[in-house]
Amino acid sequence: MEARSLQRRSVCHPQLAPRCIVAVIASLVALGLAATTSLAAAGGNGPVSGVVIGITSESVEIQSATGPVTVAIADKTRVIRTVSGTVADLRRGQIVELRLDGKSGRVAQIHIAPPGTKLPESNPGQGRGRGRGRTKNRGPARVLAHSAKTIRVRYGNGQAVTYRLVSKPSVIKDVPGRIGDITIGQTVLVTRGQGGRVANVITIVRG
């Protein structure tokens, strides 16, 4: 009797079967829509990095750590190339990001932003302390003065700091590029807009 009772409770009444089917389908559709919405929200406008696996005049496809991502290319999409430079490329007024050596506290790397970059007014300058375990990324900041051994910068909060350089600091420059500079196999970083569908800036990191 108990087994029969369980069987009767586990199925719809014959007269209600069509309603049950509709309810099940509606539930599955709702779950599918929720999953799609969740995935779209997870992508958002966040940046994506990876290797270029496809490029046309209208879109770029990137193999990211979580899978392939396709982003549209618009008229406003900017392309930035990263190239090697030297301390001699530094100029007063440039926006730079500094990375300090963890042991000496001297500047080991200088990343020069492309022409036209503005300094965020709210940027306080990161990691003022020195020593092990402290963050060493100090940018962005505006170059006030520099020599072969030092660089003086001003952060967005108005704080001016002079740093000593290591003997041969690494210098990376961002220079304007074109869509035609992007090729399959390059590593890129893409900042996105319009819900992650359109590329705002494509930075060619390598290649």
Side-chain angles (χ1 to χ4, degrees):
M1 292 295 293
E2 183 178 354
R4 291 178 183 175
S5 178
L6 288 173
Q7 288 177 356
R8 283 197 296 269
R9 287 196 295 268
S10 64
V11 296
C12 291
H13 190 280
Q15 294 180 350
L16 299 178
R19 295 183 182 178
C20 289
I21 294 172
V22 170
V24 169
I25 293 175
S27 298
L28 292 174
V29 170
L31 288 172
L33 289 175
T36 302
T37 302
S38 176
L39 289 173
N45 287 340
V48 59
S49 62
V51 177
V52 176
I53 57 177
I55 178 70
T56 70
S57 60
E58 298 179 347
S59 66
V60 59
E61 186 177 8
I62 303 160
Q63 183 62 48
S64 70
T66 57
V69 177
T70 300
V71 185
I73 294 173
D75 292 339
K76 66 178 183 179
T77 301
R78 296 170 55 211
V79 177
I80 300 296
R81 295 185 298 113
T82 57
V83 298
S84 297
T86 67
V87 174
D89 293 314
L90 289 170
R91 298 287 185 273
R92 179 181 174 86
Q94 288 174 326
I95 304 302
V96 297
E97 292 194 21
L98 307 177
R99 185 171 293 276
L100 274 59
D101 177 77
K103 295 182 179 179
S104 67
R106 298 187 178 191
V107 174
Q109 184 184 89
I110 304 171
H111 193 154
I112 304 174
T117 300
K118 295 184 178 180
L119 180 65
E121 294 180 0
S122 60
N123 171 55
Q126 299 178 10
R128 294 180 59 185
R130 297 183 179 182
R132 297 179 184 273
R134 303 285 184 91
T135 179
K136 300 301 182 295
N137 187 355
R138 297 300 204 267
R142 186 181 303 279
V143 177
L144 298 178
H146 67 90
S147 67
K149 296 183 178 181
T150 64
I151 182 170
R152 184 169 178 79
V153 298
R154 186 184 302 280
Y155 291 101
N157 65 348
Q159 179 190 21
V161 183
T162 300
Y163 296 103
R164 299 181 67 184
L165 308 179
V166 298
S167 59
K168 293 182 179 180
S170 169
V171 178
I172 302 171
K173 298 190 298 180
D174 286 349
V175 298
R178 302 175 296 108
I179 297 298
D181 295 327
I182 305 171
T183 60
I184 293 176
Q186 290 174 331
T187 299
V188 297
L189 171 66
V190 180
T191 60
R192 303 179 292 172
Q194 298 184 26
R197 297 186 300 273
V198 177
N200 289 335
V201 181
I202 303 175
T203 301
I204 303 172
V205 180
R206 188 170 62 241

